[in-house]
Amino acid sequence: MSRFIFHCDLDCFFAAVEIRDNPEYKGKPVIIGADPKGGKGRGVVATCSYEARKFGLHSALPISKAYQLCPHGIYLRPSSSKYSEASIKVMTILHSYSPSFQQVSIDEAYIDVTGICNNYEEATALALEIQKEIYQKVGITLSIGCAPTKSIAKIASDQNKPNGITVIKPDEIHSFLYNMDITRIPGIGKKTKKYYNKLGFYIIGDIIKTPLHIMIEKFGKYGKWVWEIANGLDNREVKEFQEERKSISKERTFYEDTGDFNLILSKFEEINSRIHTYVEKHNIYYRTITLKIRFEGFLTFTRSKSLNYPFQDKEKVMTIILSLYNEFSKYPKKVRLIGIKLSNIEKQKNKKQLQILQFS
Ligand code: TTP
Ligand code: MG
């Protein structure tokens, strides 16, 4: 059965929050970013309202250029805490619609509503309900793309902005994508585009009609990924944790190469603490611990230990690291760098339950 995946992206997010709080800005070109200082300012545009986009303004444009194009705009400095607060409210609402939720940036998230919706009419109605609730409770709008895969849902959410809903059924994927510029595929930016253009690829249709083996021949492994997206083949699931992240690691170089065990020990402890501040905050569990050690002369070793269950335990990591380090303790060279990596990671929702499992 086909999946129903929503990609939800807030419309001109920072600007929308400012307009919500200052209704007199409504309908005007509002630009959030660096101070334009009458056209002499440095820095860039973070985002701008759709009225400002009509003048050619967009994210990352130098603020001086923005000022040239739109001198009568309302230029505001970003107020991050306001945006974080709005983002948290939106994400909480989105999460309430499905346990299968994945936030991917401050203003975008996926939810998988397969099983909650039975057909595309229901999916459209649900998308409308989400838009309505967010507007009522947070006062800003978002656009929603609904499709059987994450990548198509993402492309779809961008199709009908602002306040749009775009639903793509499985048999519509090809016609939806065919005439789009290749840069609509996430990951094909300005530089990659040039390379694709040189080889005769301009629209997504050029990719669709190319056999997979040719794509691999021309663009390698990445060519396969692009070809699969263009053909609606993307099995990635909506996970709460960003699956792109495969490991968490930290390393430190000593100011001076050292053979002092106490110094090495305290550095390991420091790195371990820092990593655990992060993993505890994000509820991350891991199964594999890797020690990295580099000696003077650049000789580098790694040693790993994996447990057969995911865990999160600072003391245990330290014990494992020291037992792995033991092999090198008599090494006749001074240490230049040490590092710890946690991999085979996953995000756990229910910490307590997992701990019970571990000891059973
Ligand atoms: P986006 O979703 O890329 O942009 P947007 O929400 O402003 O506009 P759109 O309607 O096209 O989705 O980014 C979300 C926020 O992240 C944006 O409001 C401001 C911030 N941002 C930056 O600060 N710098 C950047 O270069 C980009 C792209 C975004
Ligand atoms: Mg956005």
Side-chain angles (χ1 to χ4, degrees):
M1 203 194 75
S2 177
R3 295 183 298 166
F4 295 92
I5 295 175
F6 283 7
H7 179 260
C8 309
D9 190 304
L10 295 165
D11 302 319
C12 59
F13 178 40
F14 293 2
V17 172
E18 298 298 344
I19 294 166
R20 174 197 71 184
D21 296 346
N22 304 277
E24 67 275 19
Y25 296 159
K26 206 172 164 136
K28 303 207 166 112
V30 175
I31 301 100
I32 317 297
D35 185 346
K37 295 188 178 154
K40 294 195 180 76
R42 294 164 68 94
V44 295
V45 172
T47 192
C48 57
S49 64
Y50 282 74
E51 288 78 7
R53 295 184 196 194
K54 289 184 194 144
F55 295 90
L57 273 57
H58 55 82
S59 297
L61 185 75
I63 201 78
S64 53
K65 179 84 187 161
Y67 195 80
Q68 261 177 28
L69 295 168
C70 186
H72 60 290
I74 298 162
Y75 287 84
L76 306 168
R77 300 304 83 65
S79 18
S80 315
S81 55
K82 245 171 36 173
Y83 312 145
S84 310
E85 197 184 309
S87 169
I88 290 168
K89 282 187 186 157
V90 168
M91 295 304 157
T92 308
I93 295 171
L94 289 176
H95 203 163
S96 75
Y97 279 86
S98 169
S100 177
F101 161 90
Q102 180 182 1
Q103 183 175 353
V104 280
S105 79
I106 190 166
D107 88 325
E108 58 180 315
Y110 292 98
I111 49 173
D112 189 331
V113 291
T114 315
I116 297 163
C117 301
N118 293 306
N119 53 51
Y120 284 89
E121 288 68 42
E122 286 181 18
T124 310
L126 187 72
L128 261 171
E129 198 182 316
I130 292 175
Q131 285 183 325
K132 210 165 127 195
E133 184 174 349
I134 289 178
Y135 191 71
Q136 275 170 357
K137 295 190 173 156
V138 197
I140 54 179
T141 65
L142 75 156
S143 297
I144 300 178
C146 169
T149 71
K150 284 169 90 174
S151 41
I152 307 295
K154 185 170 169 69
I155 296 170
S157 74
D158 211 28
Q159 183 68 6
N160 201 6
K161 266 180 168 287
N163 205 20
I165 295 174
T166 305
V167 177
I168 305 298
K169 299 175 187 164
D171 58 355
E172 294 169 348
I173 294 177
H174 270 187
S175 57
F176 173 61
L177 298 178
Y178 206 91
N179 289 312
M180 283 181 183
D181 189 84
I182 50 169
T183 51
R184 292 289 297 275
I185 293 185
I188 301 191
K190 274 190 201 146
K191 277 190 193 150
T192 323
K193 176 190 165 83
K194 277 193 188 145
Y195 184 66
Y196 271 75
N197 287 170
K198 240 199 230 160
L199 296 176
F201 291 80
Y202 296 91
I203 56 171
I204 298 182
D206 295 329
I207 298 169
I208 292 175
K209 67 186 186 203
T210 303
L212 175 59
H213 72 274
I214 305 274
M215 285 299 292
I216 297 174
E217 216 173 277
K218 289 187 193 294
F219 307 103
K221 220 161 83 183
Y222 188 62
K224 179 169 185 266
W225 162 251
V226 162
W227 185 87
E228 285 178 345
I229 287 186
N231 284 286
L233 305 168
D234 172 7
N235 290 327
R236 289 176 306 152
E237 282 175 23
V238 174
K239 288 188 191 159
E240 197 185 335
F241 186 56
Q242 291 184 23
E243 64 222 275
E244 295 77 30
R245 178 130 209 189
K246 295 271 189 315
S247 65
I248 294 155
S249 59
K250 266 201 189 312
E251 48 188 56
R252 285 283 179 276
T253 307
F254 290 99
Y255 292 115
E256 249 176 63
D257 300 347
T258 181
D260 180 347
F261 177 70
N262 285 330
L263 200 61
I264 294 170
L265 180 66
S266 68
K267 221 29 149 197
F268 270 133
E269 272 170 347
E270 181 197 317
I271 297 174
N272 193 32
S273 285
R274 279 175 187 269
I275 291 189
H276 278 84
T277 307
Y278 184 86
V279 298
E280 281 161 17
K281 186 168 164 222
H282 295 270
N283 241 351
I284 294 163
Y285 284 65
Y286 39 81
R287 287 203 298 113
T288 305
I289 316 298
T290 303
L291 158 85
K292 178 172 175 181
I293 188 159
R294 175 171 295 150
F295 293 96
E296 53 188 347
F298 235 72
L299 205 57
T300 310
F301 299 92
T302 56
R303 291 290 182 269
S304 297
K305 180 172 172 62
S306 292
L307 301 194
N308 53 10
Y309 54 85
F311 70 109
Q312 185 200 79
D313 184 336
K314 190 168 149 187
E315 308 311 321
K316 194 173 201 148
V317 169
M318 202 56 208
T319 312
I320 293 172
I321 284 294
L322 290 180
S323 72
L324 294 169
Y325 173 75
N326 206 21
E327 178 189 340
F328 303 100
S329 58
K330 302 262 164 10
Y331 203 75
K333 282 191 188 297
K334 286 186 174 168
V335 177
R336 173 157 301 170
L337 167 153
I338 54 169
I340 299 177
K341 180 166 89 176
L342 308 177
S343 54
N344 266 317
I345 59 180
E346 59 186 67
K347 195 171 163 105
Q348 297 279 345
K349 273 210 205 102
N350 196 337
K351 220 170 170 176
K352 278 207 182 91
Q353 206 172 359
L354 190 94
Q355 280 163 352
I356 293 164
L357 276 177
Q358 275 176 25
F359 296 110
S360 61

